PDB file of all heavy atoms in Angstrom:
ATOM      1  N   ASP B 854      -2.217   8.883  11.044  1.00  0.00           N
ATOM      2  CA  ASP B 854      -3.458   9.448  11.370  1.00  0.00           C
ATOM      3  C   ASP B 854      -4.683   8.918  10.530  1.00  0.00           C
ATOM      4  O   ASP B 854      -5.614   8.775  11.020  1.00  0.00           O
ATOM      5  CB  ASP B 854      -3.283  10.991  11.112  1.00  0.00           C
ATOM      6  CG  ASP B 854      -2.224  11.531  12.104  1.00  0.00           C
ATOM      7  OD1 ASP B 854      -1.596  10.863  12.854  1.00  0.00           O
ATOM      8  OD2 ASP B 854      -2.064  12.881  11.998  1.00  0.00           O
ATOM      9  N   LEU B 855      -4.334   8.695   9.159  1.00  0.00           N
ATOM     10  CA  LEU B 855      -5.321   8.369   8.385  1.00  0.00           C
ATOM     11  C   LEU B 855      -6.003   6.927   8.871  1.00  0.00           C
ATOM     12  O   LEU B 855      -7.191   6.754   8.872  1.00  0.00           O
ATOM     13  CB  LEU B 855      -4.981   8.337   6.914  1.00  0.00           C
ATOM     14  CG  LEU B 855      -6.020   7.962   5.757  1.00  0.00           C
ATOM     15  CD1 LEU B 855      -7.144   9.031   5.770  1.00  0.00           C
ATOM     16  CD2 LEU B 855      -5.312   7.625   4.530  1.00  0.00           C
ATOM     17  N   TYR B 856      -5.033   6.054   9.238  1.00  0.00           N
ATOM     18  CA  TYR B 856      -5.465   4.626   9.599  1.00  0.00           C
ATOM     19  C   TYR B 856      -6.190   4.875  10.921  1.00  0.00           C
ATOM     20  O   TYR B 856      -7.113   4.001  11.297  1.00  0.00           O
ATOM     21  CB  TYR B 856      -4.261   3.828   9.760  1.00  0.00           C
ATOM     22  CG  TYR B 856      -3.903   3.058   8.469  1.00  0.00           C
ATOM     23  CD1 TYR B 856      -3.167   3.713   7.521  1.00  0.00           C
ATOM     24  CD2 TYR B 856      -4.513   1.837   8.116  1.00  0.00           C
ATOM     25  CE1 TYR B 856      -2.862   3.091   6.242  1.00  0.00           C
ATOM     26  CE2 TYR B 856      -4.188   1.161   7.007  1.00  0.00           C
ATOM     27  CZ  TYR B 856      -3.371   1.859   6.000  1.00  0.00           C
ATOM     28  OH  TYR B 856      -3.111   1.150   4.808  1.00  0.00           O
ATOM     29  N   GLU B 857      -5.790   5.787  11.805  1.00  0.00           N
ATOM     30  CA  GLU B 857      -6.412   5.842  13.137  1.00  0.00           C
ATOM     31  C   GLU B 857      -7.751   6.453  12.969  1.00  0.00           C
ATOM     32  O   GLU B 857      -8.774   6.165  13.686  1.00  0.00           O
ATOM     33  CB  GLU B 857      -5.536   6.840  14.007  1.00  0.00           C
ATOM     34  CG  GLU B 857      -4.509   5.987  14.860  1.00  0.00           C
ATOM     35  CD  GLU B 857      -3.447   6.916  15.432  1.00  0.00           C
ATOM     36  OE1 GLU B 857      -3.730   7.912  15.832  1.00  0.00           O
ATOM     37  OE2 GLU B 857      -2.377   6.208  15.759  1.00  0.00           O
ATOM     38  N   LEU B 858      -8.035   7.438  12.006  1.00  0.00           N
ATOM     39  CA  LEU B 858      -9.140   8.026  11.860  1.00  0.00           C
ATOM     40  C   LEU B 858     -10.244   7.183  11.242  1.00  0.00           C
ATOM     41  O   LEU B 858     -11.466   7.151  11.583  1.00  0.00           O
ATOM     42  CB  LEU B 858      -9.107   9.427  11.038  1.00  0.00           C
ATOM     43  CG  LEU B 858      -8.314  10.473  11.705  1.00  0.00           C
ATOM     44  CD1 LEU B 858      -7.984  11.514  10.617  1.00  0.00           C
ATOM     45  CD2 LEU B 858      -9.181  11.161  12.810  1.00  0.00           C
ATOM     46  N   PHE B 859      -9.848   6.363  10.190  1.00  0.00           N
ATOM     47  CA  PHE B 859     -10.738   5.582   9.457  1.00  0.00           C
ATOM     48  C   PHE B 859     -10.090   4.051   9.456  1.00  0.00           C
ATOM     49  O   PHE B 859      -9.580   3.653   8.549  1.00  0.00           O
ATOM     50  CB  PHE B 859     -10.869   5.962   8.015  1.00  0.00           C
ATOM     51  CG  PHE B 859     -11.396   7.352   7.797  1.00  0.00           C
ATOM     52  CD1 PHE B 859     -10.626   8.522   7.834  1.00  0.00           C
ATOM     53  CD2 PHE B 859     -12.901   7.565   7.742  1.00  0.00           C
ATOM     54  CE1 PHE B 859     -11.205   9.788   7.663  1.00  0.00           C
ATOM     55  CE2 PHE B 859     -13.354   8.827   7.552  1.00  0.00           C
ATOM     56  CZ  PHE B 859     -12.585   9.832   7.566  1.00  0.00           C
ATOM     57  N   PRO B 860     -10.342   3.377  10.627  1.00  0.00           N
ATOM     58  CA  PRO B 860      -9.595   2.035  10.677  1.00  0.00           C
ATOM     59  C   PRO B 860     -10.376   1.065   9.805  1.00  0.00           C
ATOM     60  O   PRO B 860     -11.530   1.281   9.466  1.00  0.00           O
ATOM     61  CB  PRO B 860      -9.885   1.691  12.228  1.00  0.00           C
ATOM     62  CG  PRO B 860     -10.654   2.749  12.877  1.00  0.00           C
ATOM     63  CD  PRO B 860     -11.022   3.817  11.874  1.00  0.00           C
ATOM     64  N   GLU B 861      -9.651  -0.067   9.506  1.00  0.00           N
ATOM     65  CA  GLU B 861     -10.176  -1.150   8.715  1.00  0.00           C
ATOM     66  C   GLU B 861     -10.663  -0.755   7.283  1.00  0.00           C
ATOM     67  O   GLU B 861     -11.713  -1.013   6.878  1.00  0.00           O
ATOM     68  CB  GLU B 861     -11.542  -1.754   9.324  1.00  0.00           C
ATOM     69  CG  GLU B 861     -11.424  -2.195  10.813  1.00  0.00           C
ATOM     70  CD  GLU B 861     -10.619  -3.536  11.067  1.00  0.00           C
ATOM     71  OE1 GLU B 861     -11.041  -4.473  10.270  1.00  0.00           O
ATOM     72  OE2 GLU B 861      -9.713  -3.660  11.808  1.00  0.00           O
ATOM     73  N   GLY B 862      -9.737  -0.059   6.714  1.00  0.00           N
ATOM     74  CA  GLY B 862     -10.109   0.439   5.190  1.00  0.00           C
ATOM     75  C   GLY B 862     -10.091   1.849   5.101  1.00  0.00           C
ATOM     76  O   GLY B 862     -11.054   2.503   4.826  1.00  0.00           O
ATOM     77  N   PRO B 863      -8.824   2.553   5.431  1.00  0.00           N
ATOM     78  CA  PRO B 863      -8.913   4.100   5.562  1.00  0.00           C
ATOM     79  C   PRO B 863      -9.293   4.761   4.298  1.00  0.00           C
ATOM     80  O   PRO B 863     -10.109   5.705   4.375  1.00  0.00           O
ATOM     81  CB  PRO B 863      -7.352   4.270   5.880  1.00  0.00           C
ATOM     82  CG  PRO B 863      -6.651   3.111   5.414  1.00  0.00           C
ATOM     83  CD  PRO B 863      -7.594   1.905   5.672  1.00  0.00           C
ATOM     84  N   LEU B 864      -8.758   4.370   3.128  1.00  0.00           N
ATOM     85  CA  LEU B 864      -9.177   5.100   1.917  1.00  0.00           C
ATOM     86  C   LEU B 864     -10.628   4.715   1.458  1.00  0.00           C
ATOM     87  O   LEU B 864     -11.283   5.646   1.071  1.00  0.00           O
ATOM     88  CB  LEU B 864      -8.109   4.755   0.827  1.00  0.00           C
ATOM     89  CG  LEU B 864      -8.126   5.789  -0.243  1.00  0.00           C
ATOM     90  CD1 LEU B 864      -7.842   7.079   0.114  1.00  0.00           C
ATOM     91  CD2 LEU B 864      -7.029   5.352  -1.408  1.00  0.00           C
ATOM     92  N   LYS B 865     -10.948   3.584   1.496  1.00  0.00           N
ATOM     93  CA  LYS B 865     -12.313   3.050   1.170  1.00  0.00           C
ATOM     94  C   LYS B 865     -13.406   3.882   1.919  1.00  0.00           C
ATOM     95  O   LYS B 865     -14.346   4.417   1.416  1.00  0.00           O
ATOM     96  CB  LYS B 865     -12.448   1.541   1.394  1.00  0.00           C
ATOM     97  CG  LYS B 865     -12.060   0.862   0.272  1.00  0.00           C
ATOM     98  CD  LYS B 865     -12.445  -0.639   0.198  1.00  0.00           C
ATOM     99  CE  LYS B 865     -12.622  -1.351   1.624  1.00  0.00           C
ATOM    100  NZ  LYS B 865     -12.902  -2.919   1.557  1.00  0.00           N
ATOM    101  N   LYS B 866     -13.164   3.855   3.361  1.00  0.00           N
ATOM    102  CA  LYS B 866     -14.177   4.366   4.203  1.00  0.00           C
ATOM    103  C   LYS B 866     -14.252   5.912   4.090  1.00  0.00           C
ATOM    104  O   LYS B 866     -15.227   6.513   4.150  1.00  0.00           O
ATOM    105  CB  LYS B 866     -13.860   3.933   5.634  1.00  0.00           C
ATOM    106  CG  LYS B 866     -14.223   2.480   5.795  1.00  0.00           C
ATOM    107  CD  LYS B 866     -14.442   2.053   7.254  1.00  0.00           C
ATOM    108  CE  LYS B 866     -14.867   0.593   7.230  1.00  0.00           C
ATOM    109  NZ  LYS B 866     -15.054   0.042   8.521  1.00  0.00           N
ATOM    110  N   SER B 867     -13.008   6.524   3.979  1.00  0.00           N
ATOM    111  CA  SER B 867     -13.015   7.972   3.969  1.00  0.00           C
ATOM    112  C   SER B 867     -13.625   8.405   2.615  1.00  0.00           C
ATOM    113  O   SER B 867     -14.362   9.462   2.552  1.00  0.00           O
ATOM    114  CB  SER B 867     -11.582   8.507   4.132  1.00  0.00           C
ATOM    115  OG  SER B 867     -10.682   7.887   3.212  1.00  0.00           O
ATOM    116  N   SER B 868     -13.491   7.720   1.617  1.00  0.00           N
ATOM    117  CA  SER B 868     -14.026   8.106   0.228  1.00  0.00           C
ATOM    118  C   SER B 868     -15.457   7.906   0.225  1.00  0.00           C
ATOM    119  O   SER B 868     -16.190   8.750  -0.360  1.00  0.00           O
ATOM    120  CB  SER B 868     -13.476   7.165  -0.812  1.00  0.00           C
ATOM    121  OG  SER B 868     -12.063   7.283  -0.930  1.00  0.00           O
ATOM    122  N   LYS B 869     -15.891   6.929   0.975  1.00  0.00           N
ATOM    123  CA  LYS B 869     -17.333   6.600   1.060  1.00  0.00           C
ATOM    124  C   LYS B 869     -18.001   7.805   1.858  1.00  0.00           C
ATOM    125  O   LYS B 869     -19.028   8.393   1.432  1.00  0.00           O
ATOM    126  CB  LYS B 869     -17.653   5.300   1.791  1.00  0.00           C
ATOM    127  CG  LYS B 869     -18.997   4.796   1.554  1.00  0.00           C
ATOM    128  CD  LYS B 869     -19.095   3.344   2.001  1.00  0.00           C
ATOM    129  CE  LYS B 869     -20.469   2.736   1.642  1.00  0.00           C
ATOM    130  NZ  LYS B 869     -20.463   1.319   2.127  1.00  0.00           N
ATOM    131  N   VAL B 870     -17.437   8.130   2.982  1.00  0.00           N
ATOM    132  CA  VAL B 870     -17.933   9.347   3.829  1.00  0.00           C
ATOM    133  C   VAL B 870     -17.904  10.555   2.986  1.00  0.00           C
ATOM    134  O   VAL B 870     -18.744  11.519   3.105  1.00  0.00           O
ATOM    135  CB  VAL B 870     -17.092   9.422   5.050  1.00  0.00           C
ATOM    136  CG1 VAL B 870     -17.502  10.794   5.853  1.00  0.00           C
ATOM    137  CG2 VAL B 870     -17.258   8.262   5.946  1.00  0.00           C
ATOM    138  N   ALA B 871     -16.957  10.755   2.124  1.00  0.00           N
ATOM    139  CA  ALA B 871     -16.741  11.979   1.258  1.00  0.00           C
ATOM    140  C   ALA B 871     -17.668  11.983   0.115  1.00  0.00           C
ATOM    141  O   ALA B 871     -17.580  12.960  -0.711  1.00  0.00           O
ATOM    142  CB  ALA B 871     -15.353  12.156   0.903  1.00  0.00           C
ATOM    143  N   GLY B 872     -18.432  10.945  -0.035  1.00  0.00           N
ATOM    144  CA  GLY B 872     -19.358  10.974  -1.155  1.00  0.00           C
ATOM    145  C   GLY B 872     -18.759  10.772  -2.521  1.00  0.00           C
ATOM    146  O   GLY B 872     -19.292  11.157  -3.593  1.00  0.00           O
ATOM    147  N   LEU B 873     -17.539  10.102  -2.478  1.00  0.00           N
ATOM    148  CA  LEU B 873     -16.883   9.828  -3.671  1.00  0.00           C
ATOM    149  C   LEU B 873     -16.848   8.192  -4.085  1.00  0.00           C
ATOM    150  O   LEU B 873     -17.337   7.526  -3.259  1.00  0.00           O
ATOM    151  CB  LEU B 873     -15.382  10.302  -3.600  1.00  0.00           C
ATOM    152  CG  LEU B 873     -15.141  11.764  -3.194  1.00  0.00           C
ATOM    153  CD1 LEU B 873     -13.730  12.017  -2.829  1.00  0.00           C
ATOM    154  CD2 LEU B 873     -15.574  12.594  -4.320  1.00  0.00           C
ATOM    155  N   GLN B 874     -16.357   7.916  -5.273  1.00  0.00           N
ATOM    156  CA  GLN B 874     -16.408   6.578  -5.660  1.00  0.00           C
ATOM    157  C   GLN B 874     -15.397   5.694  -4.901  1.00  0.00           C
ATOM    158  O   GLN B 874     -14.507   6.299  -4.233  1.00  0.00           O
ATOM    159  CB  GLN B 874     -15.995   6.601  -7.100  1.00  0.00           C
ATOM    160  CG  GLN B 874     -14.690   7.143  -7.437  1.00  0.00           C
ATOM    161  CD  GLN B 874     -14.421   7.340  -8.937  1.00  0.00           C
ATOM    162  OE1 GLN B 874     -13.781   6.403  -9.657  1.00  0.00           O
ATOM    163  NE2 GLN B 874     -14.926   8.421  -9.404  1.00  0.00           N
ATOM    164  N   LYS B 875     -15.513   4.422  -4.905  1.00  0.00           N
ATOM    165  CA  LYS B 875     -14.605   3.447  -4.245  1.00  0.00           C
ATOM    166  C   LYS B 875     -13.250   3.548  -5.054  1.00  0.00           C
ATOM    167  O   LYS B 875     -13.258   3.443  -6.158  1.00  0.00           O
ATOM    168  CB  LYS B 875     -15.213   2.078  -4.359  1.00  0.00           C
ATOM    169  CG  LYS B 875     -14.375   1.025  -3.617  1.00  0.00           C
ATOM    170  CD  LYS B 875     -15.042  -0.243  -3.657  1.00  0.00           C
ATOM    171  CE  LYS B 875     -14.163  -1.428  -3.006  1.00  0.00           C
ATOM    172  NZ  LYS B 875     -14.829  -2.667  -3.118  1.00  0.00           N
ATOM    173  N   PRO B 876     -12.157   3.818  -4.319  1.00  0.00           N
ATOM    174  CA  PRO B 876     -10.820   3.908  -4.818  1.00  0.00           C
ATOM    175  C   PRO B 876     -10.401   2.635  -5.503  1.00  0.00           C
ATOM    176  O   PRO B 876     -10.477   1.683  -4.968  1.00  0.00           O
ATOM    177  CB  PRO B 876      -9.857   4.303  -3.609  1.00  0.00           C
ATOM    178  CG  PRO B 876     -10.610   4.000  -2.473  1.00  0.00           C
ATOM    179  CD  PRO B 876     -12.100   3.937  -2.744  1.00  0.00           C
ATOM    180  N   ALA B 877      -9.868   2.833  -6.721  1.00  0.00           N
ATOM    181  CA  ALA B 877      -9.490   1.624  -7.531  1.00  0.00           C
ATOM    182  C   ALA B 877      -8.005   1.417  -7.411  1.00  0.00           C
ATOM    183  O   ALA B 877      -7.471   0.463  -8.008  1.00  0.00           O
ATOM    184  CB  ALA B 877      -9.919   1.761  -8.957  1.00  0.00           C
ATOM    185  N   SER B 878      -7.323   2.271  -6.681  1.00  0.00           N
ATOM    186  CA  SER B 878      -5.725   2.178  -6.687  1.00  0.00           C
ATOM    187  C   SER B 878      -5.390   1.102  -5.587  1.00  0.00           C
ATOM    188  O   SER B 878      -6.114   0.848  -4.779  1.00  0.00           O
ATOM    189  CB  SER B 878      -5.347   3.467  -6.303  1.00  0.00           C
ATOM    190  OG  SER B 878      -3.924   3.367  -5.855  1.00  0.00           O
TER     191      SER B 878
END
Side-chain angles (χ1 to χ4, degrees):
Chain B
D854 294 1
L855 185 65
Y856 274 84
E857 271 166 25
L858 292 164
F859 298 92
E861 307 281 312
L864 198 59
K865 274 195 326 190
K866 291 198 174 180
S867 54
S868 301
K869 199 170 191 175
V870 171
L873 301 169
Q874 59 190 265
K875 186 177 177 180
S878 156

